[in-house]
């Protein structure tokens, strides 16, 4: 505001004679942000600079019967009026900006009056496409829940990864339903599905395909491997050799396969669901960090509860629960939901909160290698899908907190001291969530 007063003072003094200042009017009786009418003769002006400066805000004149001075005409500014005019303007100009960065250590007292306005804008009714997203997401989760009963959280995480276009790593004990969850998700969507059983003697050509010489046609032809499917189940991925595991690096990141110098694109949408057991590590090969970072989410299923176990035993005649469900969505529906999720509002305070979480993993003394920028991007995209699945067109801090462990835990490496002390990556992410303050966007004063 001081820059505007200086400009008004300089412009008013160019090419004009300095006249004697008149007595200013009563600023308390005049309503804020209204430009009073000025007389046509300079000798009778009221000496009010608010009419000149504030008229740029389209204020209504207080006396319409008298002619007003155009906003482009420079007027003589009075130094005594600078104090009243500077007080109301900073609130209307700075509040919308500051309200997006309301962390406890940086919140200014002047921000509080603008918080109710931010809350009303963020709490707007969901649009039609967000409602459509919520209904389709609920249909998908409900259909897969018939296969893996009582495990809504990992099912929602798998559905989120599919919509984002990422990959899932299911790590759990044998017999918990990892393969059934993958097959149930594949059968719920009308898309191609292939299953690869990873073994120590599996070759990369068995995954991506091979170029062979056709003697009948007299030319080389490319035969696609099982990786060319919309949903690929890599069962017990850690049992294959590192050479075979590396065949998935390009296709998981770039959605392409290069064989003999020729690049082939995989169908869209594309998703890899890999499973591995945390036990029975004899004869297995640990996934390298570069491949672990390519998985969008790593989650577990866990054992069912007592009541769910009783209900499953009552349906003991059902040997393959994944084959009992039918498709409720198509590939175009998944792509449509992906496009809708990209329109979900992401406030600047939420973005800064995600960056702070990722940076906290890099500066923790018990973490040797923190999360990469790919982890921050993955958490941001998953949070938008998670918000849309809750019938909201905006992301809240709880969306980030509910996904942080599944998205960031497998991207960090603990120090040897922390590992020997019994700490796990999941516990470290939970500790970081408790230490990093969450934003208060939309909170009332």
């Amino acid at each position: 505001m001081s820059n505007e007063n200086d400009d008004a003072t300089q412009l008013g003094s160019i090419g004009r004679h300095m006249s004697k200042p008149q007595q200013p009017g009563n600023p308390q009786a005049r309503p804020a942000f209204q430009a009073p009418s000025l007389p046509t003769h300079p000798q009778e002006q009221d000496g009010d600079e608010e009419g000149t400066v504030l008229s740029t805000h389209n204020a209504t004149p207080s006396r319409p019967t008298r002619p007003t001075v155009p906003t482009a005409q420079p007027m003589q500014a009075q130094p005594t009026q600078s104090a009243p005019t500077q007080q109301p303007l900073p609130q209307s100009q700075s509040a919308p900006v500051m309200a997006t960065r309301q962390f406890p250590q940086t919140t200014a007292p002047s921000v509080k009056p603008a918080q109710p306005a931010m809350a009303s804008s963020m709490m707007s009714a969901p649009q039609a496409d967000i409602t459509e997203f919520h209904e389709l997401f609920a249909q998908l989760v409900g259909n897969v829940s018939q296969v893996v009963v009582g495990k809504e959280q990992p099912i929602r995480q798998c559905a989120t990864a599919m919509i984002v276009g990422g990959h899932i790593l299911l790590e759990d004990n044998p017999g918990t339903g990892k393969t059934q969850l993958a097959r149930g998700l594949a059968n719920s969507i009308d898309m191609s599905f292939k299953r690869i059983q990873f073994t120590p003697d599996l070759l990369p050509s068995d995954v991506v395909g091979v170029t062979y010489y056709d003697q009948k046609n007299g030319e080389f032809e490319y035969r696609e491997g099982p990786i060319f499917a919309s949903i690929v189940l890599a069962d017990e991925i850690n049992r294959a050799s590192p050479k075979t595991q590396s065949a998935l690096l390009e296709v998981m990141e770039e959605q392409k396969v290069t064989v003999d110098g020729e690049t082939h694109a995989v169908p869209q949408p594309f998703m890899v669901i890999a499973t591995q057991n945390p036990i029975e590590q004899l004869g297995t090969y640990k996934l390298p960090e570069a491949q672990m970072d390519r998985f969008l989410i790593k989650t577990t299923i866990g054992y069912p509860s007592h009541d769910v176990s009783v209900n499953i035993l009552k349906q003991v005649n059902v040997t393959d629960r994944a084959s009992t469900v039918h498709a409720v969505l198509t590939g175009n529906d998944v792509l449509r939901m992906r496009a809708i999720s990209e329109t979900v509002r992401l406030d600047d305070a939420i973005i800064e909160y995600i960056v702070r979480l990722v940076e906290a993993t890099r500066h923790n003394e018990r973490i040797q290698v923190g999360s990469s920028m790919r982890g921050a991007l993955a958490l941001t995209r998953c949070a938008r899908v998670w918000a849309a699945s809750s019938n909201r067109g905006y992301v809240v801090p709880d969306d980030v907190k509910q996904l942080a462990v599944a998205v960031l835990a497998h991207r960090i490496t603990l120090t040897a001291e922390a590992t020997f002390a019994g700490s796990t990556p999941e516990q470290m992410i939970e500790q970081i969530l408790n230490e990093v303050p969450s934003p208060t966007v939309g909170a009332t004063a």
Side-chain angles (χ1 to χ4, degrees):
M1 188 62 196
S2 59
N3 295 333
E4 296 179 0
N5 289 335
D6 295 340
D7 296 341
T9 304
Q10 295 175 3
L11 293 176
S13 59
I14 296 177
R16 298 187 59 180
H17 297 285
M18 297 297 294
S19 59
K20 182 179 180 180
Q22 303 295 328
Q23 294 297 329
N26 188 6
Q28 289 80 5
R30 187 183 302 108
F33 296 96
Q34 290 187 358
S37 302
L38 298 178
T40 57
H41 299 285
Q43 293 81 4
E44 300 177 0
Q45 63 181 2
D46 295 336
D48 187 5
E49 86 172 316
E50 293 181 1
T52 303
V53 179
L54 299 182
S55 60
T56 58
H57 298 276
N58 297 325
T60 304
S62 59
R63 287 174 292 183
T65 56
R66 304 180 63 182
T68 58
V69 179
T71 55
Q73 181 178 355
M75 296 297 298
Q76 182 177 356
Q78 297 295 336
T80 57
Q81 297 298 327
S82 57
T85 57
Q86 290 179 354
Q87 187 170 359
L89 284 180
Q91 294 182 356
S92 60
Q93 294 178 353
S94 62
V97 179
M98 296 297 295
T100 60
R101 301 179 181 271
Q102 296 180 11
F103 288 90
Q105 65 271 21
T106 59
T107 303
S110 60
V111 183
K112 293 183 179 180
Q115 289 178 349
M118 178 62 68
S120 61
S121 61
M122 291 190 63
M123 300 301 177
S124 58
Q127 301 177 357
D129 52 356
I130 300 297
T131 304
E132 177 188 358
F133 185 103
H134 171 68
E135 295 175 354
L136 295 177
F137 193 91
Q139 292 180 9
L140 178 61
V141 174
N143 199 54
V144 181
S145 298
Q146 301 178 14
V147 180
V148 183
V149 185
K151 299 297 179 181
E152 183 179 356
Q153 185 75 2
I155 294 175
R156 287 173 57 90
Q157 293 175 349
C158 292
T160 299
M162 172 177 290
I163 296 172
V164 172
H167 313 288
I168 283 284
L169 178 60
L170 298 176
E171 184 181 68
D172 212 331
N173 297 327
T176 54
K178 300 185 297 296
T179 305
Q180 287 290 316
L181 174 58
R183 294 181 61 237
L185 184 63
N187 294 339
S188 299
I189 302 176
D190 188 12
M191 297 187 303
S192 57
F193 170 71
K194 296 291 181 63
R195 181 180 183 272
I196 308 174
Q197 182 65 48
F198 279 70
T199 56
D201 59 345
L202 191 70
L203 298 177
S205 58
D206 298 331
V207 178
V208 299
V210 63
T211 302
Y212 70 99
Y213 181 75
D214 189 356
Q215 296 182 355
K216 183 177 180 180
N217 298 328
E219 57 184 8
F220 288 93
E221 294 185 2
Y222 173 70
R223 179 178 296 171
E224 296 181 350
I227 198 65
F228 286 88
S230 294
I231 301 178
V232 179
L233 172 59
D235 212 352
E236 294 184 304
I237 188 175
N238 58 336
R239 294 195 177 277
S241 63
K243 183 178 181 180
T244 304
Q245 294 177 4
S246 63
L248 296 175
L249 292 178
E250 180 185 9
V251 65
M252 291 177 64
E253 177 65 21
E254 302 178 8
Q255 315 284 309
K256 300 176 183 178
V257 174
T258 302
V259 179
D260 294 336
E262 295 185 4
T263 302
H264 309 272
V266 296
Q268 293 296 328
F270 176 76
M271 178 184 185
V272 173
I273 304 177
T275 65
Q276 67 177 5
N277 301 327
I279 60 177
E280 300 176 359
Q281 297 297 325
L282 183 62
T284 62
Y285 302 89
K286 182 181 179 181
L287 296 179
E289 286 75 10
Q291 188 167 1
M292 290 290 294
D293 198 35
R294 280 168 168 78
F295 284 101
L296 184 75
I297 290 177
K298 176 186 175 184
T299 186
T300 60
I301 299 178
Y303 293 110
S305 61
H306 175 76
D307 297 336
V308 173
S309 301
V310 172
N311 294 332
I312 293 176
L313 292 181
K314 291 181 180 179
Q315 304 174 8
V316 67
N317 294 331
V318 182
T319 57
D320 188 6
R321 301 180 68 91
S323 60
T324 60
V325 297
H326 303 283
V328 295
L329 298 180
T330 62
N332 293 330
D333 293 335
V334 176
L335 296 178
R336 164 68 177 164
M337 297 172 69
R338 183 180 303 176
I340 294 176
S341 65
E342 295 175 355
T343 63
V344 174
R345 176 183 175 183
L346 202 64
D347 197 84
D348 291 342
I350 299 295
I351 296 177
E352 187 171 351
Y353 179 55
I354 294 176
V355 173
R356 289 181 178 224
L357 291 176
V358 174
E359 290 178 347
T361 63
R362 305 170 186 170
H363 301 95
N364 194 298
E365 59 182 6
R366 307 184 68 181
I367 298 178
Q368 182 178 0
V369 180
S371 175
S372 62
M373 195 60 197
R374 186 183 293 157
L377 293 172
L379 185 57
T380 303
R381 293 166 181 164
C382 291
R384 293 192 302 185
V385 175
W386 203 264
S389 65
S390 302
N391 202 14
R392 279 185 284 102
Y394 53 91
V395 178
V396 297
D398 288 341
D399 298 330
V400 179
K401 294 179 180 179
Q402 295 176 7
L403 292 167
V405 176
V407 175
L408 299 179
H410 64 283
R411 304 177 190 271
I412 64 176
T413 303
L414 303 184
T415 60
E417 293 79 6
T419 303
F420 293 152
S423 301
T424 61
E426 290 77 11
Q427 293 176 353
M428 295 305 303
I429 298 299
E430 290 285 355
Q431 179 181 350
I432 290 175
L433 288 174
N434 296 330
E435 294 176 353
V436 177
S438 60
T440 57
V441 177
T444 56

